[in-house]
Amino acid sequence: MNFCTSCGSKVALKIPEGDDRERFVCVNCETIHYVNPRVIVGCVPVYQDKVLLCKRAIEPRYGYWTLPAGFMENGETTPEGAARETWEEARARVSGLELYRVFDVPYISQVYMFYRCEIDDGAFGVGPESLESALYSEAEIPWDEIAFPAVKETLREYFQDVAEGRFPVRVSAIEYKRRNKE
Amino acid sequence: MNFCTSCGSKVALKIPEGDDRERFVCVNCETIHYVNPRVIVGCVPVYQDKVLLCKRAIEPRYGYWTLPAGFMENGETTPEGAARETWEEARARVSGLELYRVFDVPYISQVYMFYRCEIDDGAFGVGPESLESALYSEAEIPWDEIAFPAVKETLREYFQDVAEGRFPVRVSAIEYKRRNKE
Ligand SMILES: [Zn+2]
Ligand SMILES: [Zn+2]
């Protein structure tokens, strides 16, 4: 951040009075500009014993498979955002959303929230950010072509939870370079 | 938003190519400035059969009681943020954080995430944004002096869950003017 969104003057990093960390503060109008983590909302869309995945038509991880997910927008709830992303990326309408998996990704200041849900009538398609979409059973999942570690972990946990008949909400953090370690 | 954070030129609202909603776009460098929801993280800090509340020393709701909570910062996880806020507002160190309650507040584009946790050694104090702090049993909670509907609802659910011996993660949305309806 270089310039103030309010008045267009330069900003400088300094610790505001009563605060304990550096913020971007306008040198002219003194507005404090907070920069906060962003929320990514997504779904684990289920039909019968299968999960809907999308093959990414965009970078990063072009050509790899993922769960439908994207940045939460202003004015929506987290399940609304998750359902919207599922429509946009996989042209599926979903119901019965239940919070299922939270990932913190502190090194890029992101929080992922995945909702389990059912695909209405099992109908889906392909949105503009996807090359294709498909329903996969556990045995069919292309494990070596999953785009992100968080998605792979969520899928593994999901099929395990199906087997055990319980779906606890899990929270964990993804550390830097985790993908390379796998 | 009036000015571009990158170059200081004016921004204009327009729908970027491939997008479906208006964004602030710089008329000079064409940077798209996304504005996203913010996350508030907090705790339900427990010691024996009591919950720690703070009396607010700041607006809004000065003088009313609340659970320790505040804006999540970049570079931290949601439980780290919740624990940080509990230290800042109530000078309590907490352990065993478990996600407990999520509130979507779409009309102000906020997501609240409360973690249940235990207060180490039952020790607490008063941070600069609080007038006082206190441990309350269910019978002692000052129900008519709770700052926010989300806090009141979380406390009611918590004591109900204690009675039932189970702590499901709940997600719901808070609609505009809900406080006035109560
Ligand atoms: Zn300014
Ligand atoms: Zn610009």
Side-chain angles (χ1 to χ4, degrees), chain A residues 2-8 21 23 35-39 72-75 77-79 84 104 106 109 111 115 171, chain B residues 2-8 21 23 35-39 72-75 77-79 84 104 106 109 111 115 171:
Chain A
N2 301 311
F3 296 94
C4 174
T5 56
S6 297
C7 77
R21 65 190 73 199
R23 312 285 181 184
V35 183
N36 295 93
R38 295 209 285 175
V39 179
M72 186 183 182
E73 297 278 4
N74 276 359
T77 66
T78 50
R84 175 184 52 72
D104 285 297
S109 295
V111 179
Y115 281 83
V171 180
Chain B
N2 302 311
F3 296 94
C4 174
T5 55
S6 296
C7 77
R21 65 191 73 200
R23 311 284 182 185
V35 184
N36 295 93
R38 294 208 283 175
V39 179
M72 186 183 181
E73 299 277 3
N74 276 358
T77 67
T78 50
R84 175 184 52 72
D104 285 298
S109 295
V111 180
Y115 281 82
V171 181

Side-chain angles (χ1 to χ4, degrees), chain B residues 4-10 26-31 33:
Chain B
C4 174
T5 55
S6 296
C7 77
S9 301
K10 287 233 166 201
C26 178
V27 298
N28 175 45
C29 74
E30 296 186 357
T31 298
H33 297 281

Side-chain angles (χ1 to χ4, degrees), chain B residues 85-117:
Chain B
E85 288 289 342
T86 304
W87 172 254
E88 289 179 5
E89 299 189 357
R91 292 291 182 257
R93 300 292 185 193
V94 293
S95 306
L97 285 80
E98 296 284 345
L99 183 62
Y100 181 55
R101 192 59 167 95
V102 177
F103 290 98
D104 285 298
V105 197
Y107 69 91
I108 47 172
S109 295
Q110 293 182 349
V111 180
Y112 281 69
M113 298 176 74
F114 283 106
Y115 281 82
R116 283 186 302 124
C117 57

